[in-house]
Amino acid sequence: MNGQYLDFEKPIIDLEKKIRDMKDFASGESIELIREIQLLEKRRDRLQEEIYSRLTRWQRVQLARHPLRPHSMDYISLLSTDFVELHGDRNFRDDKAVIGGFGKIDGKPVLFIGQQKGRDTKQNLYHNFGMMHPEGYRKALRLMQLASRFKRPIVILIDTPGAFPGIGAEERGQAEAIARNLREMSRLKVPIIISVVGEGASGGALGIGIGDRVLMLENSWYSVISPEGCAAILWRDSSRASQAAEALRLTAFDLIELKVIDRIIPEPLGGAHRNNKESADILKREILKDIEELSLFSVEELRRKRIEKFRNMGVFLKENHLFPDKEIGTDT
Amino acid sequence: MEWFKKTKGGPLPQQKKEIPNGLWTKCESCGEIIYVKELEKALWVCHSCNFHFRIKSKDYIELLLDEGVLEEFDRELVSTDPLKFKDSKKYPDRIRDSRNKTGLNDAVTAGIGKIDGKEISFAVMDFGFIGGSMGSVVGEKIARAIERSLERKIPLVIVSCSGGARMQEGILSLMQMAKTSALLALLYEANIPFISVLTNPTTAGVMASYASLGDVVIAEPKALLGFAGPRVIQQTISQELPPGFQSSEFFLEHGFLDKVVERKNLKKTISLLLDYLTPQGS
């Protein structure tokens, strides 16, 4: 990482700079120079396609954390109108790591819930790096139950490095807050569309992650543990995160294969940060499609299908021969 | 304990020699040397400091269920290796070793049993099997235990003991939290009681799903309970953790536990709670 771009982005960024410089210099005069520029642009496109067609899992993790990547509030501003933010869990305080409020997508009212990261240190401290406390999960649930009562679909944007691990978080029941959300979100009476837009780390992400559709942006990740956390446990060395990312199979493409998510949302070539508007437009189209489809179901159907969806996740075998049944509980 | 450190290499090995293997053991908490037979009689609770030694899932079956009998279901479910996960050991090898060591097929045993004549759907976790971690098999067996409660309209009792989700099954382990909690929504709406019993330790993915969702949540004394591991918290905030942090007593104090119950009183307490939560004449 070097300031505003990733190491593997550098050749493209360098070429782009060269093209810009030449354009400034040429100002439409020399045909030779214009042809040179066109050649460079072709080279850039080829290079970009080459680099982005074979991204490693770790490179996607890096893109998901890109310093310029659009965050939840960017998406909300770009794909909705008349957003009214609502605050607080009515119990302890307002958790700034998560944003909630009503807005309109193409005139259709929805509730947005989104984990929010900052762009610089000051903002990051304000939003606690998108790491929620129990009051954040309770704020989200309060708003979702409000949406459920007034029949507004819920759109959730996930982008968190994890639920916050701290003394206060434990004192106020981080585990209970997440667990309750898992159960209560299963019971909500309106369509819920989840979209992982950046990082989806563990219970911190899942705590607002129960829905009728679960989508992932092309360069986001979603896993039981962060690559760093996994590396620290496996090899006592968090610098082996790239290796852990491979082992964890945490990309959108992996999760489609594992039947955990419904669809992958494409990003502009080079990643969402190369064109925020286009990224938001694509996401908006996908969300609208789901809202429309899901609005056809009755409340009971919706809830039954939602519960079934998660109930069927997991992979296991049936085996009878390896361990002949012993009667359990009788000590012989 | 100071004299212990100073005489490094001195009395310690000698003392070890004096304890014939298996006859005596040392309390992990207070260091008291205890006669194993006595400890067994005391349900593996230290007579000196009340420390609850970790016991196996079959011990809880013995302790809690009438005649110590569980009609076991779903024993044939076993893990596969959906991620082809390899760390220092291949995941299938880790599973095989745990199966050989514990005689269990995975970290939870589930079925139907009775407590003082009352039929319940029962599940109990075993820390000996990869730290009681929850992968697809644990999630599925818990899910089926919930479904048995629903079908037969009998209460659910789960004894948890787990370090959380099983990393080796990646996202699928995480989704077991969603799976079990989603089914608990149905149990909740059906007004069928669920008593969650927490033992040392119950943390992370298990604590942040079904273990927290009991209509009543009780725990053995001094169990480690929480979401994040103490080491992770310490690294994140770089300050000392307060004494007793993330213990059963801490949970009780902060309102996330109904009661701390000693092992010898577990059955009696669960039985009473089942009576209170079962409608008259049903």
Side-chain angles (χ1 to χ4, degrees):
Chain A
M1 175 69 67
N2 190 344
Q4 298 295 293
Y5 56 85
L6 306 167
D7 290 340
F8 64 87
E9 285 182 305
K10 191 169 185 304
I12 300 164
I13 303 283
D14 285 350
L15 260 179
E16 276 183 341
K17 187 175 181 300
K18 208 166 161 189
I19 293 167
R20 253 197 330 273
D21 288 350
M22 282 176 89
K23 274 183 176 163
D24 286 348
F25 183 70
S27 59
E29 299 300 322
S30 145
I31 292 175
E32 219 169 289
L33 212 52
I34 289 171
R35 278 188 55 190
E36 179 97 355
I37 289 172
Q38 282 172 342
L39 274 174
L40 276 180
E41 280 177 339
K42 265 191 191 151
R43 223 174 92 194
R44 177 202 61 194
D45 292 348
R46 260 207 322 276
L47 187 68
Q48 204 163 10
E49 226 147 283
E50 202 185 296
I51 290 175
Y52 286 91
S53 63
R54 49 175 173 80
L55 287 176
T56 65
R57 291 185 172 92
W58 177 240
Q59 284 173 327
R60 288 197 200 275
V61 170
Q62 289 173 295
L63 278 172
R65 296 170 174 169
H66 198 289
L68 299 175
R69 191 170 177 85
H71 294 153
S72 293
M73 202 52 230
D74 298 318
Y75 284 114
I76 294 172
S77 321
L78 286 166
L79 62 76
S80 78
T81 55
D82 301 319
F83 181 65
V84 181
E85 192 179 348
L86 304 170
H87 295 273
D89 69 338
R90 296 295 187 272
N91 184 39
F92 185 68
R93 67 163 183 188
D94 183 45
D95 188 340
K96 307 286 195 294
V98 63
I99 283 170
F102 289 105
K104 294 176 193 163
I105 311 181
D106 263 5
K108 288 187 176 63
V110 302
L111 175 79
F112 286 103
I113 300 286
Q115 285 157 332
Q116 183 65 19
K117 290 181 181 174
R119 200 60 71 200
D120 53 37
T121 310
K122 197 179 152 203
Q123 279 181 15
N124 260 322
L125 288 174
Y126 182 77
H127 292 296
N128 199 32
F129 300 84
M131 300 168 93
M132 289 162 70
H133 278 78
E135 50 273 21
Y137 294 100
R138 292 178 185 131
K139 162 182 168 179
L141 183 60
R142 177 180 80 83
L143 296 177
M144 291 189 284
Q145 286 173 335
L146 182 66
S148 180
R149 283 175 55 221
F150 294 96
K151 301 191 171 52
R152 300 301 183 207
I154 301 169
V155 174
I156 296 174
L157 305 176
I158 288 181
D159 189 11
T160 183
F164 188 70
I167 293 175
E170 294 290 328
E171 284 174 341
R172 298 193 291 281
Q174 189 73 288
E176 192 273 347
I178 291 172
R180 178 181 296 267
N181 277 20
L182 302 183
R183 186 183 70 196
E184 293 306 314
M185 290 180 78
S186 308
R187 305 179 60 213
L188 295 172
K189 294 175 175 170
V190 291
I192 309 169
I193 296 137
I194 313 280
S195 182
V196 183
V197 296
E199 303 190 84
S202 193
L206 187 67
I208 54 166
I210 307 295
D212 305 294
R213 293 283 187 275
V214 183
L215 317 175
M216 273 177 85
L217 259 60
E218 193 181 339
N219 297 309
S220 64
W221 65 268
Y222 194 3
S223 170
V224 68
I225 187 169
S226 71
E228 287 79 4
C230 177
I233 291 171
L234 288 186
W235 304 293
R236 307 224 164 263
D237 180 4
S238 60
S239 66
R240 289 171 75 177
S242 57
Q243 206 178 330
E246 291 301 316
L248 284 168
R249 299 190 51 195
L250 40 60
T251 69
F253 302 90
D254 294 321
L255 268 68
I256 274 276
E257 243 175 75
L258 294 166
K259 300 191 172 71
V260 169
I261 60 165
D262 296 285
R263 293 198 310 281
I264 301 170
I265 304 175
E267 294 179 22
L269 188 62
H273 62 286
R274 304 283 287 187
N275 191 335
N276 286 10
K277 180 76 177 68
E278 193 188 335
S279 306
D281 284 345
I282 302 171
L283 181 59
K284 177 178 166 178
R285 248 193 342 261
E286 300 286 330
I287 290 170
L288 279 171
K289 186 171 126 189
D290 282 335
I291 290 179
E292 202 169 310
E293 267 180 40
L294 294 167
S295 65
L296 299 174
F297 296 120
S298 72
V299 169
E300 273 322 301
E301 269 178 311
L302 196 66
R303 286 175 13 134
R304 184 177 52 78
K305 280 174 185 283
R306 188 187 306 147
I307 291 172
E308 255 169 32
K309 173 188 178 67
F310 287 93
R311 195 262 166 265
N312 291 331
M313 287 184 192
V315 178
F316 51 87
L317 295 171
K318 271 189 179 186
E319 231 172 62
N320 279 316
H321 52 284
L322 277 175
F323 284 83
D325 269 3
K326 285 183 293 186
E327 201 177 340
I328 297 279
T330 46
D331 240 359
T332 44
Chain B
M1 292 299 278
E2 270 310 296
W3 61 272
F4 223 69
K5 282 178 195 160
K6 279 175 197 157
T7 51
K8 216 173 175 182
L12 189 58
Q14 272 178 16
Q15 208 172 28
K16 259 192 179 165
K17 260 186 214 162
E18 285 166 18
I19 308 170
N21 213 4
L23 269 181
W24 297 84
T25 193
K26 202 168 111 184
C27 174
E28 288 166 47
S29 177
C30 72
E32 178 88 358
I33 307 292
I34 318 167
Y35 190 42
V36 169
K37 284 231 168 102
E38 286 294 317
L39 194 58
E40 236 180 294
K41 242 190 261 167
L43 305 172
W44 295 90
V45 175
C46 174
H47 61 82
S48 160
C49 73
N50 200 30
F51 175 74
H52 283 51
F53 284 68
R54 187 174 297 140
I55 57 175
K56 295 174 180 164
S57 49
K58 73 172 174 58
D59 298 327
Y60 280 107
I61 293 170
E62 189 85 16
L63 177 72
L64 298 177
L65 300 183
D66 294 354
E67 278 93 51
V69 172
L70 175 77
E71 185 197 341
E72 194 184 351
F73 283 71
D74 308 319
R75 186 183 171 78
E76 68 280 7
L77 302 189
V78 291
S79 285
T80 162
D81 187 13
L83 267 57
K84 304 272 170 287
F85 198 94
K86 187 168 179 286
D87 50 284
S88 56
K89 239 189 221 178
K90 282 185 184 161
Y91 180 47
D93 294 343
R94 204 176 277 281
I95 291 279
R96 198 198 47 226
D97 292 351
S98 280
R99 288 171 72 170
N100 289 336
K101 189 183 85 184
T102 60
L104 302 166
N105 281 358
D106 213 307
V108 72
T109 303
I112 302 275
K114 283 182 177 167
I115 288 184
D116 291 340
K118 290 160 286 219
E119 197 169 60
I120 55 162
S121 174
F122 182 77
V124 53
M125 304 186 76
D126 200 305
F127 197 78
F129 200 103
I130 320 188
S133 57
M134 169 167 61
S136 296
V137 171
V138 169
E140 181 67 21
K141 285 169 92 166
I142 295 285
R144 292 185 186 192
I146 299 166
E147 285 165 343
R148 273 193 291 280
S149 271
L150 280 165
E151 283 157 20
R152 300 173 189 228
K153 299 190 169 50
I154 51 174
L156 174 68
V157 177
I158 301 177
V159 180
S160 292
C161 187
S162 172
R166 188 174 293 167
M167 198 167 58
Q168 290 85 351
E169 288 185 37
I171 193 75
L172 293 172
S173 296
L174 187 72
M175 290 304 146
Q176 304 311 305
M177 295 168 64
K179 171 172 172 167
T180 52
S181 304
L183 285 177
L184 284 174
L186 298 178
L187 201 68
Y188 180 85
E189 289 179 355
N191 285 330
I192 295 169
F194 165 31
I195 295 169
S196 175
V197 183
L198 314 179
T199 69
N200 184 35
T202 304
T203 58
V206 168
M207 194 70 227
S209 60
Y210 56 86
S212 281
L213 293 173
D215 294 299
V216 176
V217 185
I218 61 179
E220 286 189 346
K222 292 176 189 161
L224 173 71
L225 308 177
F227 177 68
R231 218 182 54 194
V232 174
I233 297 175
Q234 207 160 16
Q235 278 169 3
T236 309
I237 61 173
S238 43
Q239 68 187 69
E240 281 299 306
L241 301 175
F245 183 62
Q246 292 187 312
S247 63
S248 306
E249 293 71 19
F250 172 91
F251 252 55
L252 182 72
E253 186 61 31
H254 286 94
F256 292 98
L257 204 60
D258 285 287
K259 201 172 174 56
V260 176
V261 181
E262 287 189 28
R263 190 170 285 160
K264 63 173 190 282
N265 296 327
L266 268 183
K267 180 168 182 172
K268 195 170 68 189
T269 307
I270 296 170
S271 177
L272 262 173
L273 287 168
L274 289 174
D275 288 340
Y276 284 123
L277 297 178
T278 309
Q280 285 290 306
S282 72

